[in-house]
Amino acid sequence: MSSEETLREVAIEVSTCLKCNLCKGRTRAVPGEGNTNANILFIGEGPGFHEDKQGRPFVGPAGQFLDELLESINLKRADVFITNVVKCRPPNNRDPLPEEIDACDNYLDRQIAAIKPQVIVTLGRYSMAKFFGNEKISSIHGRARKKDGYICIAMYHPAAGLHQASLKDVIRNDFKKIPLVVAEAERMVAESPAKVAESAKSREEPPQQLSLF
Ligand code: URA
Ligand code: SF4
């Protein structure tokens, strides 16, 4: 199956999914969207008010800031893929519960496996936890690490920048590192495709810091 077909299949399943209680409050599920062969995958937390209405990720105020951030590194939405840890809106934008994240995790895993991005950018603590466990965002944000065979960078959630002005520039600076990390990822693949494929298979490897940062 092509990556496009897999992603379409996931989106169809998500649209009628009943695997957790978040299905009860949703208007529309938000599977995620973008380039099905993107180099960069962004993973947020979950749909908010506007996303739930439109069925699209990051279309509210946090999404506007994300658009600005993408533009600052000469990227458009169509260049990347954007999704969330949970695909249905938690009531009143509360944090997703562990059982909801678990129920939805298979969709995210299938999206990652289909897209095979060179770089995964986690936005906020729930997507960070998937790759970095209990680490603190304040100490690891903006740093690239190899994890589960992918190069991952944890970033503050764009909404955090809207609530706390001092974080806005931190997020902007972290974003500026993305092109360098993508270039480093491309270099690693060019130098050693076999090694990268091998590391993609070894799920238990400890986080490893890249030479670049
Ligand atoms: N916040 C998120 O984490 N995801 C969205 O899609 C919108 C806001
Ligand atoms: Fe299904 Fe995920 Fe929506 Fe829960 S959040 S109902 S698991 S699509």
Side-chain angles (χ1 to χ4, degrees), residues 24-31 33 46-61 84 87-93:
K24 293 181 185 158
R26 76 174 171 232
T27 312
R28 295 179 63 172
V30 182
E33 64 183 27
F49 176 86
H50 298 279
E51 291 77 21
D52 174 71
K53 290 271 175 290
Q54 296 184 37
R56 300 183 55 210
F58 283 95
V59 289
N84 285 302
K87 315 301 192 202
C88 303
R89 184 192 182 202
N92 301 314
N93 296 346

Side-chain angles (χ1 to χ4, degrees), residues 14 17-20 22-23 26 86-88 100 103-104 107:
V14 159
C17 177
L18 304 173
K19 287 203 295 185
C20 84
L22 294 181
C23 69
R26 76 174 171 232
V86 292
K87 315 301 192 202
C88 303
E100 294 160 353
C104 218
Y107 297 127

Side-chain angles (χ1 to χ4, degrees), residues 42 67 70-71 73-82:
F42 290 89
D67 284 342
L70 288 171
E71 210 172 298
I73 51 172
N74 293 318
L75 288 175
K76 295 190 203 54
R77 271 177 183 254
D79 299 322
V80 302
F81 199 93
I82 305 174

Side-chain angles (χ1 to χ4, degrees), residues 5 33 58 65 85 90 106 111 114 144 153 168 176 180 203:
E5 284 165 339
E33 64 183 27
F58 283 95
F65 185 33
V85 167
N106 177 259
Q111 290 175 316
I153 322 175
K168 237 181 161 176
K176 296 216 178 85
L180 279 173
R203 298 268 131 190

Side-chain angles (χ1 to χ4, degrees), residues 39 112 116-120 130-131 145-152 185 188-189 192-208 210:
N39 277 346
I112 295 170
K116 296 188 198 68
Q118 280 176 331
V119 174
I120 294 176
K130 181 173 171 68
F131 298 95
R145 299 214 196 148
K146 205 137 138 260
K147 190 80 217 303
D148 291 352
Y150 292 98
I151 293 171
C152 303
M188 281 164 61
V189 172
S192 178
K195 251 193 190 158
V196 172
E198 212 172 89
S199 74
K201 278 187 233 140
S202 69
R203 298 268 131 190
E204 297 309 319
E205 111 196 79
Q208 195 186 323
L210 293 184

Side-chain angles (χ1 to χ4, degrees), residues 158-171:
L162 302 180
H163 298 137
Q164 217 178 313
S166 61
L167 281 182
K168 237 181 161 176
D169 282 337
V170 173
I171 299 172

